[in-house]
Amino acid sequence: NVRLQAGTSNDLQIYHNGTDSLILDSGTGNLRILGSTSVRIQNQGDNADMIVANSGTSVDLYYNNSKKLETTKIVLKIL
């Protein structure tokens, strides 16, 4: 039941509630995740993609580590 808290009013918290792990942003503005070339959300084993957002090119959605949806600046491809 320990929370990692940051901000002058504990605006950002990372914690586990016994069931789920949570990132809570209750401050003003947006919660932003920054990456220089891409941002990846992967499985717990760090060996299967779930979502890959590539800077300036595409966002890819995966199911069971298989790409199912890809966006580009021109078209949407359903795989």
Side-chain angles (χ1 to χ4, degrees):
N1 294 332
V2 175
R3 291 184 185 217
L4 172 63
Q5 301 181 21
T8 56
S9 299
N10 297 323
D11 298 339
L12 178 64
Q13 299 181 26
I14 301 173
Y15 62 98
H16 192 272
N17 67 6
T19 304
D20 301 308
S21 298
L22 298 105
I23 299 172
L24 171 64
D25 171 31
S26 61
T28 59
N30 300 310
L31 174 63
R32 297 170 42 182
I33 300 171
L34 308 175
S36 61
T37 57
S38 68
V39 173
R40 300 175 96 82
I41 298 176
Q42 295 185 302
N43 68 342
Q44 178 183 1
D46 193 24
N47 59 10
D49 288 323
M50 297 164 70
I51 300 172
V52 179
N54 299 296
S55 181
T57 60
S58 68
V59 175
D60 307 325
L61 301 178
Y62 292 78
Y63 174 77
N64 200 21
N65 204 33
S66 175
K67 189 189 301 187
K68 299 299 180 185
L69 183 70
E70 173 184 299
T71 66
T72 66
K73 59 184 175 181
I74 298 172
V75 297
L76 171 68
K77 289 194 249 179
I78 299 177
L79 306 172

